[in-house]
Amino acid sequence: MNIILFGPPGSGKGTQAKKLVDKYGWVHISTGDLFRYEMGNDTPLGLKAKSYIEKGELVPDEVTVGMLKNKVNSSEGAKGFIFDGFPRTVAQAEALDAFLDEKGTQVDALIALDVEEEEIVQRILERGKTSGRPDDNDESIIRNRIAVYHDETQPVYKHYAKKDISKKVNGLGGIEHIFGRLCATINRG
Ligand code: AMP
């Protein structure tokens, strides 16, 4: 089972992905976490990504897709993946579909956490107090990330809706409530 956990920044994807991994045993791949790891180690990839992340822009597709493929390829024997923060453009979605197809597998579902914009901004500012992420601390960068989400990432929902595998889950409420809704959606298939 390969699932895309979808939704705007601050919608709870990372929190819920960790809980889904504990329950279903999938491998969690967060491109944001991978970039932060590279930046923390001052690698060439990290330095390249930094200039985009600092502004709340997307890292170019070829860089992101290459990193994602390496991570999948190094997770041999995984019984499924949960993609968090990827794909963020239709080009990334098409690259993912082709890549999984070569491996004889596919995206089984895209599940979008539905949270309205003002709630998201407040959540990210709150997270910024402890996350140590510069892109969580500046409201104009946060608003840019949300604008990028609307312009470039939202179309990914439609890309998978055409394949009839996009679903929405209410992302408001307590962590356990939201997790229950996600599991119910996954178990319905
Ligand atoms: P996240 O932790 O998912 O909020 O990602 C933090 C930042 O990393 C984003 O604002 C982007 O700058 C960058 N990033 C993460 N995933 C992607 C992706 N799939 N495509 C392009 N940029 C990404």
Side-chain angles (χ1 to χ4, degrees):
M1 189 92 171
N2 300 308
I3 291 196
I4 296 169
L5 194 54
F6 196 72
S11 57
K13 300 187 295 293
T15 304
Q16 296 295 335
K18 289 193 182 80
K19 293 177 71 64
L20 290 169
V21 165
D22 287 345
K23 182 172 165 97
Y24 294 99
W26 298 319
V27 172
H28 175 204
I29 301 186
S30 155
T31 42
D33 285 350
L34 293 176
F35 284 131
R36 281 185 288 278
Y37 177 80
E38 299 286 337
M39 288 192 294
N41 287 293
D42 284 332
T43 65
L45 175 60
L47 291 175
K48 183 157 199 182
K50 193 168 187 235
S51 55
Y52 298 94
I53 294 177
E54 278 177 349
K55 296 197 253 339
E57 304 286 344
L58 294 184
V59 179
D61 286 338
E62 61 276 15
V63 177
T64 307
V65 169
M67 179 180 73
L68 185 282
K69 286 183 178 177
N70 284 340
K71 183 69 186 172
V72 170
N73 286 335
S74 68
S75 310
E76 228 177 281
K79 61 177 180 171
F81 290 95
I82 179 146
F83 298 107
D84 159 8
F86 181 93
R88 260 176 158 99
T89 63
V90 171
Q92 289 180 14
E94 287 169 347
L96 177 66
D97 295 344
F99 175 61
L100 293 179
D101 192 50
E102 279 169 23
K103 295 183 171 297
T105 180
Q106 71 287 312
V107 174
D108 297 294
L110 174 149
I111 307 180
L113 289 169
D114 205 11
V115 185
E116 61 180 37
E117 182 163 333
E118 276 320 304
E119 166 81 13
I120 284 165
V121 174
Q122 293 317 315
R123 280 192 196 179
I124 299 178
L125 284 170
E126 194 56 37
R127 180 173 75 185
K129 291 180 188 166
T130 54
S131 71
R133 288 177 52 175
D135 61 339
D136 281 351
N137 271 299
D138 179 321
E139 188 163 339
S140 68
I141 297 176
I142 296 171
R143 298 236 177 239
N144 191 39
R145 288 163 67 197
I146 294 171
V148 167
Y149 174 79
H150 285 304
D151 293 347
E152 300 189 52
T153 304
Q154 196 80 64
V156 173
Y157 184 90
K158 290 199 195 81
H159 173 84
Y160 289 104
K162 283 188 206 141
K163 299 177 196 274
D164 224 15
I165 57 170
S166 286
K167 301 156 207 272
K168 268 190 194 145
V169 162
N170 178 358
L172 283 181
I175 290 173
E176 293 304 329
H177 270 112
I178 300 166
F179 184 59
R181 290 178 202 132
L182 278 174
C183 294
T185 303
I186 290 165
N187 296 339
R188 267 199 303 275

